[in-house]
Amino acid sequence: MGSPMALNLIKTGCDVTVWNRTKSKCDPLISMGAKYKPSPEEVTAACDVTFAMLADPESAMEVACGKHGAVSGMGPGKGYVDVSTVDGGTSKLISGHIKASGASFLEAPVSGSKKPAEDGQLIFLTAGDKSLYETVTPFLDIMGKSRFYLGEVGNGAAMKLIVNMIMGSMMATFSEGLLLSEKVGLDPNVLVEVVSKGAISAPMYALKGPSMVKSLYPTAFPLKHQQKDMRLALGLAESVSQPTPISAAANELYKVAKSHGLSDSDFSAVIEALKGKVQS
Amino acid sequence: MGSPMALNLIKTGCDVTVWNRTKSKCDPLISMGAKYKPSPEEVTAACDVTFAMLADPESAMEVACGKHGAVSGMGPGKGYVDVSTVDGGTSKLISGHIKASGASFLEAPVSGSKKPAEDGQLIFLTAGDKSLYETVTPFLDIMGKSRFYLGEVGNGAAMKLIVNMIMGSMMATFSEGLLLSEKVGLDPNVLVEVVSKGAISAPMYALKGPSMVKSLYPTAFPLKHQQKDMRLALGLAESVSQPTPISAAANELYKVAKSHGLSDSDFSAVIEALKGKVQS
Amino acid sequence: MGSPMALNLIKTGCDVTVWNRTKSKCDPLISMGAKYKPSPEEVTAACDVTFAMLADPESAMEVACGKHGAVSGMGPGKGYVDVSTVDGGTSKLISGHIKASGASFLEAPVSGSKKPAEDGQLIFLTAGDKSLYETVTPFLDIMGKSRFYLGEVGNGAAMKLIVNMIMGSMMATFSEGLLLSEKVGLDPNVLVEVVSKGAISAPMYALKGPSMVKSLYPTAFPLKHQQKDMRLALGLAESVSQPTPISAAANELYKVAKSHGLSDSDFSAVIEALKGKVQS
Amino acid sequence: MGSPMALNLIKTGCDVTVWNRTKSKCDPLISMGAKYKPSPEEVTAACDVTFAMLADPESAMEVACGKHGAVSGMGPGKGYVDVSTVDGGTSKLISGHIKASGASFLEAPVSGSKKPAEDGQLIFLTAGDKSLYETVTPFLDIMGKSRFYLGEVGNGAAMKLIVNMIMGSMMATFSEGLLLSEKVGLDPNVLVEVVSKGAISAPMYALKGPSMVKSLYPTAFPLKHQQKDMRLALGLAESVSQPTPISAAANELYKVAKSHGLSDSDFSAVIEALKGKVQS
């Protein structure tokens, strides 16, 4: 997802320097005018503000704090914006290292997947240094359509978990409705349409409903990641003694779906967990 | 809800005759040009097509089949459209009596409450005589923004139950998210806004979220009716052996809310069922 | 189940008159000394106290109130004890007819299946006329090991539903434990044994655990009847706004099991609802 | 719980050496004939086999591997039996240190609380060195009534979690039954008695039911520990993709009970989570 985000910055005339573990992935951006540096350290040394988009907490840690990592090139007056989705603990660790160099840190996980990234329609859930947030506002507005500043580091991660928790439960109950409509002789495609007209209409239903009716689950957000987020959200809820029975029940369905071998399908495949076995 | 629907018909120049158990409720419509008849029987005798909007199944039965009821004035060539929300069984009973007179019948429960009724933005979930559906299409399009024809009588009621089942679960998990965000130190109003920007955005959340954060539940759809619909939907699911664990868990929360004395509050008051007791 | 119960009465020297729709089923009892009458009416006319054991509410109604039914032979000074498992509504109907004849009525559903019936180890959950309860105490003590008098008619049925609700949830969570132990590499037979030694030991676990481990479910109590009882218990809970989230979740598993074609297996087959599909 | 266990060993004539962080707690045992050593290291140096009973994983680690800890006195030919309840990870860490000294290790968490400890009625769920298990069998049989050998270290902890998971769900559904019986006008004490006679009878119900009916929860096993065990069991289930919807629903009730301030009450206080709020 980093590529389309960088491309939007380049297109609007920003001075962009890029790096990727696999250099060839940078070539399209370089051909569009981006500069290239051979390590995170050299990127952060050359730039005022650096955006990091990594696949998982381990990579985010390595690129920030590893050998020739971003921290080595940071210092007072510079800023580091981590737009990866990582847990609050990892975010705090990275923040600690960056700030020890004298630089500023902003956690900024995004809500939205590949298509919104290309269209500059991401949502940024930021937390950390408020002044850095204000500095990067113009760039966030190029890459996204909305941005939120949520206070101390860790709050961005928490907000994203809560949104995904609600999303997971909504997908599960929508699945119940689709299957129930079919079982009682109604066309589930009509349910998708009826839902799209009223108070419970959500873009996700309109987007995924038609393929779910065909038992197709092209992966936009893998089911195993959705289940992991629900587990983390339930852990968060437990840490503050907040009951969440709906999400707990939904999490069980994602576990059932995983046990059916659907970990790498789209999370809408949770509907399979509600289908009866075919009897021999 | 019958008044604003009739008013929209009158405003567009339709020839409308009205009746209500309490005549004074008809006065504003009469002042706008509506004719008045003193019984359902006389309304149906005078009109080609009659729309009935009653509060509950018992009233719907009484007005259709009771003394001086609608059936007495029906006959071949006429049509009866029941836009009340009743269960499938009641709908079939009324249909049977109407059709025995030689007339046509259409079940047409609406999705949407007072405001959409006033704005001509209702959604009609119709089932029954297809030819009557085609006859009344112009009128449905005046009162609403969408209409669905779903086949045999009972299907409209079933579709509405399924939509309300999904709605009930969505409200319950949204409540979990609001409370969790507050417990971990995030502003729940920001969660409402974040949700409103993304894939899980639904008009209901934007409408009710802000008042839920203030623990206010002005009644648009009473909690006891939502719980009743969830019970009926669970019964429907059970009749076809469709598992619905999310809705079953949500139903329990509505029951908890009822036991807290919230039956007549808006169904968004289900959030109260997830709050801890204050300790003395 | 009526046969072994009657046999225990005969063996202890009681003067027993029998009737069954299929006369041949009475032959073994007749050969042991029982008298026979060709209709319920003639049985009740000849006896001071009549015990009725029928398979379902419809049969119980027919035998009590149908043509040549028990009511016709009843009158002041006589007693009718219905040991069938029927719902509270049916029980009240039968009671009304019996008492209108001047006779006494006792609802007395039994807890226990065929083996306890043979061994005189049933549990009677009685409600209705207290004086009749006292009259039949010696007979209940021959057929069973425990008896409870619960007040007004309907209470016996309610108590039985509640016991079966707890039983259904217990079986479901026991299933979770068996499968979890197996998945983490523990022998589920050892779990059965560990459970049998401690505070949560229940005869049901010891009895059914070993066959569940082998995926065998010889029917003692059909799964569909367990699911029906859970549905009725949930309805009872809803009628008094008592939340029962555990039983609601368990009910969903029994529905899943039914959708897997296990309606006529023993209710311990609910464990199948928690097993993943085998992937092809 | 260590005291009554040691006392039973002393009473049967075993040569027992004791240590406790608070020496005065050893005095009653010393007056009964036990020797005393001032550190775990000196205990293990002096004894062939050492039993360790600590309150939590941290203490178990400290006593085994801290300064002057048990490991320092261990060596070939000696055995260390940890009867504390710790998680599998801690158990494996301690095992590693003990075995590095050349000694043998046995994990042996107990099922049962203070009273069974005093009565020599504990259940040992052991795992680790089989030869050490065989060596200590006579001692386990003095302190307990049952013992299980479950294979590799970690299995004892896992078995205990699964048993406690089932226990937690059973207590939650029993609570549902008690409250439902009361709401429909049945005496919940009679439900306790009915349950005690049949297939679902469990010692836990007979022990705790009568006080639950009185809303009394004298602490035998704290609710927060039960909730922690359910969380760990759900984590274990999630790690092997085993759905456990009943336990997940039950866990939510324990969380509700915690939010009501009942963490330190007995876990039977989970029933409070199912009671409605009193309205002002």
Side-chain angles (χ1 to χ4, degrees), chain D residues 89-107:
Chain D
T90 299
S91 199
K92 282 172 193 163
L93 272 175
I94 295 175
S95 175
H97 282 91
I98 295 286
K99 293 177 72 75
S101 77
S104 301
F105 178 80
L106 194 69
E107 161 190 62

PDB file of all heavy atoms in Angstrom, chain D residues 89-107:
ATOM      1  N   GLY D  89       3.670 -22.008  30.061  1.00  0.00           N
ATOM      2  CA  GLY D  89       4.949 -21.359  29.738  1.00  0.00           C
ATOM      3  C   GLY D  89       5.863 -21.287  30.952  1.00  0.00           C
ATOM      4  O   GLY D  89       7.045 -21.661  30.887  1.00  0.00           O
ATOM      5  N   THR D  90       5.307 -20.843  32.077  1.00  0.00           N
ATOM      6  CA  THR D  90       6.096 -20.765  33.311  1.00  0.00           C
ATOM      7  C   THR D  90       6.576 -22.148  33.727  1.00  0.00           C
ATOM      8  O   THR D  90       7.727 -22.338  34.128  1.00  0.00           O
ATOM      9  CB  THR D  90       5.231 -20.142  34.436  1.00  0.00           C
ATOM     10  OG1 THR D  90       4.839 -18.828  34.042  1.00  0.00           O
ATOM     11  CG2 THR D  90       5.999 -20.075  35.746  1.00  0.00           C
ATOM     12  N   SER D  91       5.664 -23.107  33.588  1.00  0.00           N
ATOM     13  CA  SER D  91       6.001 -24.468  33.987  1.00  0.00           C
ATOM     14  C   SER D  91       7.196 -24.983  33.175  1.00  0.00           C
ATOM     15  O   SER D  91       8.106 -25.614  33.709  1.00  0.00           O
ATOM     16  CB  SER D  91       4.780 -25.359  33.768  1.00  0.00           C
ATOM     17  OG  SER D  91       4.871 -26.537  34.513  1.00  0.00           O
ATOM     18  N   LYS D  92       7.188 -24.668  31.882  1.00  0.00           N
ATOM     19  CA  LYS D  92       8.290 -25.128  31.029  1.00  0.00           C
ATOM     20  C   LYS D  92       9.603 -24.423  31.398  1.00  0.00           C
ATOM     21  O   LYS D  92      10.666 -25.037  31.371  1.00  0.00           O
ATOM     22  CB  LYS D  92       7.940 -24.888  29.563  1.00  0.00           C
ATOM     23  CG  LYS D  92       6.976 -25.949  29.037  1.00  0.00           C
ATOM     24  CD  LYS D  92       6.455 -25.620  27.643  1.00  0.00           C
ATOM     25  CE  LYS D  92       5.270 -26.524  27.307  1.00  0.00           C
ATOM     26  NZ  LYS D  92       4.467 -26.017  26.181  1.00  0.00           N
ATOM     27  N   LEU D  93       9.532 -23.154  31.744  1.00  0.00           N
ATOM     28  CA  LEU D  93      10.740 -22.415  32.150  1.00  0.00           C
ATOM     29  C   LEU D  93      11.345 -23.044  33.403  1.00  0.00           C
ATOM     30  O   LEU D  93      12.550 -23.311  33.459  1.00  0.00           O
ATOM     31  CB  LEU D  93      10.378 -20.952  32.460  1.00  0.00           C
ATOM     32  CG  LEU D  93      10.405 -19.964  31.295  1.00  0.00           C
ATOM     33  CD1 LEU D  93       9.896 -18.602  31.750  1.00  0.00           C
ATOM     34  CD2 LEU D  93      11.836 -19.841  30.753  1.00  0.00           C
ATOM     35  N   ILE D  94      10.504 -23.279  34.406  1.00  0.00           N
ATOM     36  CA  ILE D  94      10.991 -23.865  35.656  1.00  0.00           C
ATOM     37  C   ILE D  94      11.572 -25.246  35.376  1.00  0.00           C
ATOM     38  O   ILE D  94      12.658 -25.594  35.844  1.00  0.00           O
ATOM     39  CB  ILE D  94       9.865 -23.937  36.715  1.00  0.00           C
ATOM     40  CG1 ILE D  94       9.422 -22.514  37.092  1.00  0.00           C
ATOM     41  CG2 ILE D  94      10.314 -24.710  37.938  1.00  0.00           C
ATOM     42  CD1 ILE D  94       8.227 -22.454  38.046  1.00  0.00           C
ATOM     43  N   SER D  95      10.841 -26.014  34.574  1.00  0.00           N
ATOM     44  CA  SER D  95      11.316 -27.346  34.215  1.00  0.00           C
ATOM     45  C   SER D  95      12.716 -27.288  33.599  1.00  0.00           C
ATOM     46  O   SER D  95      13.607 -28.067  33.939  1.00  0.00           O
ATOM     47  CB  SER D  95      10.335 -28.002  33.245  1.00  0.00           C
ATOM     48  OG  SER D  95      10.832 -29.240  32.790  1.00  0.00           O
ATOM     49  N   GLY D  96      12.899 -26.332  32.708  1.00  0.00           N
ATOM     50  CA  GLY D  96      14.200 -26.206  32.029  1.00  0.00           C
ATOM     51  C   GLY D  96      15.330 -25.970  33.019  1.00  0.00           C
ATOM     52  O   GLY D  96      16.383 -26.620  32.943  1.00  0.00           O
ATOM     53  N   HIS D  97      15.100 -25.086  33.962  1.00  0.00           N
ATOM     54  CA  HIS D  97      16.147 -24.784  34.941  1.00  0.00           C
ATOM     55  C   HIS D  97      16.439 -25.973  35.848  1.00  0.00           C
ATOM     56  O   HIS D  97      17.584 -26.271  36.150  1.00  0.00           O
ATOM     57  CB  HIS D  97      15.738 -23.568  35.790  1.00  0.00           C
ATOM     58  CG  HIS D  97      15.938 -22.268  35.087  1.00  0.00           C
ATOM     59  ND1 HIS D  97      14.959 -21.659  34.330  1.00  0.00           N
ATOM     60  CD2 HIS D  97      17.025 -21.453  34.972  1.00  0.00           C
ATOM     61  CE1 HIS D  97      15.410 -20.526  33.816  1.00  0.00           C
ATOM     62  NE2 HIS D  97      16.666 -20.379  34.177  1.00  0.00           N
ATOM     63  N   ILE D  98      15.365 -26.605  36.295  1.00  0.00           N
ATOM     64  CA  ILE D  98      15.547 -27.750  37.204  1.00  0.00           C
ATOM     65  C   ILE D  98      16.332 -28.856  36.496  1.00  0.00           C
ATOM     66  O   ILE D  98      17.300 -29.412  37.034  1.00  0.00           O
ATOM     67  CB  ILE D  98      14.172 -28.312  37.657  1.00  0.00           C
ATOM     68  CG1 ILE D  98      13.417 -27.265  38.510  1.00  0.00           C
ATOM     69  CG2 ILE D  98      14.358 -29.625  38.408  1.00  0.00           C
ATOM     70  CD1 ILE D  98      13.936 -27.058  39.909  1.00  0.00           C
ATOM     71  N   LYS D  99      15.921 -29.166  35.278  1.00  0.00           N
ATOM     72  CA  LYS D  99      16.534 -30.289  34.571  1.00  0.00           C
ATOM     73  C   LYS D  99      17.982 -29.974  34.166  1.00  0.00           C
ATOM     74  O   LYS D  99      18.823 -30.891  34.069  1.00  0.00           O
ATOM     75  CB  LYS D  99      15.692 -30.682  33.354  1.00  0.00           C
ATOM     76  CG  LYS D  99      14.332 -31.269  33.795  1.00  0.00           C
ATOM     77  CD  LYS D  99      13.411 -31.606  32.637  1.00  0.00           C
ATOM     78  CE  LYS D  99      13.875 -32.819  31.876  1.00  0.00           C
ATOM     79  NZ  LYS D  99      13.636 -34.076  32.563  1.00  0.00           N
ATOM     80  N   ALA D 100      18.284 -28.701  33.969  1.00  0.00           N
ATOM     81  CA  ALA D 100      19.661 -28.316  33.646  1.00  0.00           C
ATOM     82  C   ALA D 100      20.599 -28.666  34.798  1.00  0.00           C
ATOM     83  O   ALA D 100      21.808 -28.862  34.594  1.00  0.00           O
ATOM     84  CB  ALA D 100      19.731 -26.828  33.342  1.00  0.00           C
ATOM     85  N   SER D 101      20.040 -28.780  36.015  1.00  0.00           N
ATOM     86  CA  SER D 101      20.875 -29.132  37.177  1.00  0.00           C
ATOM     87  C   SER D 101      21.093 -30.634  37.255  1.00  0.00           C
ATOM     88  O   SER D 101      21.815 -31.109  38.123  1.00  0.00           O
ATOM     89  CB  SER D 101      20.181 -28.667  38.466  1.00  0.00           C
ATOM     90  OG  SER D 101      19.127 -29.562  38.808  1.00  0.00           O
ATOM     91  N   GLY D 102      20.423 -31.393  36.381  1.00  0.00           N
ATOM     92  CA  GLY D 102      20.543 -32.845  36.423  1.00  0.00           C
ATOM     93  C   GLY D 102      19.402 -33.511  37.168  1.00  0.00           C
ATOM     94  O   GLY D 102      19.287 -34.736  37.179  1.00  0.00           O
ATOM     95  N   ALA D 103      18.532 -32.702  37.791  1.00  0.00           N
ATOM     96  CA  ALA D 103      17.421 -33.261  38.569  1.00  0.00           C
ATOM     97  C   ALA D 103      16.197 -33.530  37.679  1.00  0.00           C
ATOM     98  O   ALA D 103      16.193 -33.226  36.478  1.00  0.00           O
ATOM     99  CB  ALA D 103      17.048 -32.301  39.700  1.00  0.00           C
ATOM    100  N   SER D 104      15.172 -34.126  38.279  1.00  0.00           N
ATOM    101  CA  SER D 104      13.919 -34.416  37.568  1.00  0.00           C
ATOM    102  C   SER D 104      12.852 -33.402  37.953  1.00  0.00           C
ATOM    103  O   SER D 104      12.909 -32.812  39.044  1.00  0.00           O
ATOM    104  CB  SER D 104      13.407 -35.813  37.930  1.00  0.00           C
ATOM    105  OG  SER D 104      14.374 -36.791  37.597  1.00  0.00           O
ATOM    106  N   PHE D 105      11.871 -33.239  37.046  1.00  0.00           N
ATOM    107  CA  PHE D 105      10.813 -32.251  37.286  1.00  0.00           C
ATOM    108  C   PHE D 105       9.447 -32.853  37.007  1.00  0.00           C
ATOM    109  O   PHE D 105       9.259 -33.595  36.040  1.00  0.00           O
ATOM    110  CB  PHE D 105      11.022 -31.028  36.387  1.00  0.00           C
ATOM    111  CG  PHE D 105       9.941 -29.994  36.543  1.00  0.00           C
ATOM    112  CD1 PHE D 105       9.952 -29.102  37.615  1.00  0.00           C
ATOM    113  CD2 PHE D 105       8.890 -29.913  35.632  1.00  0.00           C
ATOM    114  CE1 PHE D 105       8.954 -28.150  37.776  1.00  0.00           C
ATOM    115  CE2 PHE D 105       7.878 -28.973  35.787  1.00  0.00           C
ATOM    116  CZ  PHE D 105       7.916 -28.086  36.862  1.00  0.00           C
ATOM    117  N   LEU D 106       8.500 -32.510  37.870  1.00  0.00           N
ATOM    118  CA  LEU D 106       7.118 -32.921  37.648  1.00  0.00           C
ATOM    119  C   LEU D 106       6.206 -31.720  37.916  1.00  0.00           C
ATOM    120  O   LEU D 106       6.269 -31.115  38.987  1.00  0.00           O
ATOM    121  CB  LEU D 106       6.719 -34.066  38.585  1.00  0.00           C
ATOM    122  CG  LEU D 106       5.432 -34.814  38.253  1.00  0.00           C
ATOM    123  CD1 LEU D 106       5.567 -35.635  36.969  1.00  0.00           C
ATOM    124  CD2 LEU D 106       5.033 -35.749  39.405  1.00  0.00           C
ATOM    125  N   GLU D 107       5.397 -31.381  36.906  1.00  0.00           N
ATOM    126  CA  GLU D 107       4.350 -30.371  37.065  1.00  0.00           C
ATOM    127  C   GLU D 107       3.154 -31.114  37.645  1.00  0.00           C
ATOM    128  O   GLU D 107       2.809 -32.191  37.146  1.00  0.00           O
ATOM    129  CB  GLU D 107       4.047 -29.807  35.679  1.00  0.00           C
ATOM    130  CG  GLU D 107       2.736 -29.087  35.508  1.00  0.00           C
ATOM    131  CD  GLU D 107       2.452 -28.804  34.017  1.00  0.00           C
ATOM    132  OE1 GLU D 107       2.318 -29.772  33.213  1.00  0.00           O
ATOM    133  OE2 GLU D 107       2.367 -27.626  33.658  1.00  0.00           O
TER     134      GLU D 107
END
